[in-house]
Amino acid sequence: MRRGRRNAHRPPSQYWFQGWSLLELLLTLTIAAILSGLAYPNFNAFVARTQTTTRINDLITLIRFARHAAVTEQRWVGLCPAVGDRCTGSASWETGIMVFADGNRDGERQPGEALLAYQPALGAGERLQWRAFRSRNYLQFRPRGYTNWQNGTFLYCPADGDVRYAKGLILNIQGRTALTRDADGDGVDERANGTPIRC
């Protein structure tokens, strides 16, 4: 008896590779298109949330680094919005952020003051603003880790300006950070004073 001939009598429907009918193929493609359409907005929202989280976490890391440097090296450390090795003096920090030893405590990096860290510019259209008590466009940490009487909020807005993905980072005088929250459940975070974030 030849074993190879057993499968010759099996009906064609038992072979999974026999192929699909045109109707089955169209139905499968339609279902796939519907599922893709449902998943696409969720995927975009996930990407937007992830980018916001990344930007805020980078900022938290930089602020903690500056505070740590001030405490461990027992000197004043400044942060400012920068382009290259120069502070811009602007309230917009998306151009880049420089951390430096602020020996003369003027909030500007002078020749001879050490550059401690540099965060590059954000992507096109993204915005990062700093609003603080005393209305200064720089931030300073004292040797004990406190700010120079500067409590305020960094506000990140995505490139498309969608406030659902905007986020605030609140900084107190002790140098501690806290994230803004959506207290009323409307999908938009509120500032420390309870007003909704605006981009």
Side-chain angles (χ1 to χ4, degrees):
M1 180 180 205
R2 295 181 185 174
R3 295 189 180 188
R5 303 190 76 170
R6 279 186 185 174
N7 292 338
H9 300 295
R10 189 176 288 176
S13 62
Q14 292 182 1
Y15 293 106
W16 66 270
F17 56 84
Q18 281 293 316
W20 293 353
S21 70
L22 182 59
L23 180 61
E24 290 171 329
L25 183 59
L26 289 175
L27 184 61
T28 302
L29 290 175
T30 302
I31 291 171
I34 291 170
L35 292 176
S36 297
L38 293 173
Y40 184 72
N42 291 334
F43 179 74
N44 282 346
F46 170 76
V47 170
R49 272 192 229 95
T50 300
Q51 181 163 332
T52 296
T53 300
T54 300
R55 297 303 192 204
I56 292 295
N57 285 344
D58 288 347
L59 182 59
I60 291 171
T61 300
L62 199 66
I63 289 170
R64 287 180 179 168
F65 169 80
R67 184 173 185 258
H68 180 73
V71 172
T72 56
E73 298 176 24
Q74 285 296 290
R75 60 180 174 181
W76 284 59
V77 172
L79 293 90
C80 69
V83 174
D85 62 352
R86 292 183 57 239
C87 294
T88 64
S90 168
S92 299
W93 292 54
E94 64 268 7
T95 58
I97 303 174
M98 184 166 52
V99 179
F100 57 97
D102 195 3
N104 64 357
R105 305 176 189 176
D106 67 348
E108 297 271 344
R109 181 172 177 245
Q110 305 298 334
E113 291 180 333
L115 175 63
L116 304 177
Y118 188 85
Q119 181 172 295
L122 301 182
E126 294 178 88
R127 288 182 293 155
L128 182 64
Q129 306 239 322
W130 165 244
R131 296 281 185 264
F133 179 70
R134 299 180 74 185
S135 300
R136 294 190 174 163
N137 295 329
Y138 57 85
L139 179 60
Q140 292 171 309
F141 284 103
R142 300 176 178 214
R144 293 187 68 183
Y146 298 153
T147 68
N148 186 20
W149 301 103
Q150 295 169 282
N151 57 313
T153 302
F154 281 99
L155 176 61
Y156 169 78
C157 284
D160 63 3
D162 190 336
V163 293
R164 293 175 301 166
Y165 308 113
K167 197 71 165 169
L169 179 65
I170 302 165
L171 181 70
N172 68 17
I173 291 173
Q174 288 80 27
R176 295 192 181 101
T177 58
L179 297 175
T180 56
R181 302 277 181 210
D182 177 19
D184 59 9
D186 66 350
V188 178
D189 280 10
E190 285 80 37
R191 297 174 184 269
N193 64 6
T195 61
I197 286 176
R198 295 282 176 258
C199 286

